[in-house]
Amino acid sequence: MLNEINWPVEYLPGTTDNFASNEVIVKDLKAVDVWPYLTHATVWEKYYSNSSDAQYKEEGKDELYPNAPFFFKTFGFPIDAEIVEFEAPKNGIARIAWHGWAEGDADHRLDVIHAWLLEELPGNRLRILTQESQIGKPAAEMAGTNTMIDGHQSWLYGLVKAAQEKLEY
């Protein structure tokens, strides 16, 4: 039985304007190998082309932590974000999720939950699941396209490569 993302009710997939789900299963990686490449937001742009300008809002911080406020740009949107779930690897499972939003009028506001699940599987395999549930007109305009699916699959492949190659963070 595989684990699932924990969703706040208002972001439950199938009830929002857009939803994307991507995963990979890879051999010879553990949750602890991948975790730092998710929690160091400033390294994302080194392995994922849709991320840039990550900044920690609390002075002196260099990685994400429970309730951490941060900022980054993705898919052309400036995103203010806050960590809403943070479970470091334990017993082969790890979870991180953030609430992100782009301010604006009704035509431009975007509100999302982006969640990640790392799950060690039998046979020295690691499942990496990422899902994003979105609310807002920009999200509705992306629904039915492969924009988020393709972008997040690229993120997954870059994440795996970064962990395999032990990219400096």
Side-chain angles (χ1 to χ4, degrees):
M1 181 163 148
L2 297 175
N3 284 287
E4 298 179 7
I5 300 294
N6 299 320
W7 288 105
V9 172
E10 63 271 25
Y11 296 92
L12 190 65
T15 67
T16 59
D17 295 313
N18 193 22
F19 174 73
S21 180
N22 297 73
E23 75 177 331
V24 295
I25 297 177
V26 296
K27 193 168 174 64
D28 299 328
L29 280 178
K30 302 284 188 199
V32 295
D33 300 326
V34 173
W35 185 250
Y37 298 99
L38 289 174
T39 59
H40 288 83
T42 55
V43 80
W44 295 347
E45 65 188 67
K46 291 181 180 180
Y47 68 84
Y48 177 52
S49 64
N50 278 328
S51 180
S52 67
D53 302 317
Q55 302 165 17
Y56 305 103
K57 291 189 176 181
E58 190 173 332
E59 192 172 322
K61 296 295 182 181
D62 64 357
E63 70 181 297
L64 300 172
Y65 55 90
N67 304 310
F70 66 106
F71 171 87
F72 69 109
K73 291 181 182 174
T74 188
F75 289 97
F77 290 96
I79 302 293
D80 286 300
E82 181 178 10
I83 297 296
V84 294
E85 185 174 30
F86 190 96
E87 294 179 21
K90 183 178 178 185
N91 299 322
I93 301 283
R95 297 173 180 276
I96 188 169
W98 54 82
H99 172 223
W101 61 93
E103 295 292 346
D105 60 23
D107 287 339
H108 299 95
R109 180 165 171 74
L110 182 63
D111 193 9
V112 308
I113 296 286
H114 192 148
W116 296 80
L117 169 68
L118 308 177
E119 179 179 22
E120 294 176 15
L121 303 174
N124 198 29
R125 299 172 302 139
L126 179 67
R127 175 183 183 227
I128 307 170
L129 172 66
T130 186
Q131 296 182 331
E132 184 167 305
S133 194
Q134 306 172 332
I135 299 168
K137 188 171 180 183
E141 290 170 354
M142 283 188 281
T145 73
N146 286 333
T147 303
M148 296 304 298
I149 296 294
D150 292 347
H152 288 167
Q153 201 66 32
S154 175
W155 197 339
L156 283 168
Y157 293 147
L159 174 64
V160 167
K161 185 176 180 183
Q164 288 171 332
E165 296 178 357
K166 297 179 177 33
L167 181 70
E168 189 173 330
Y169 50 86

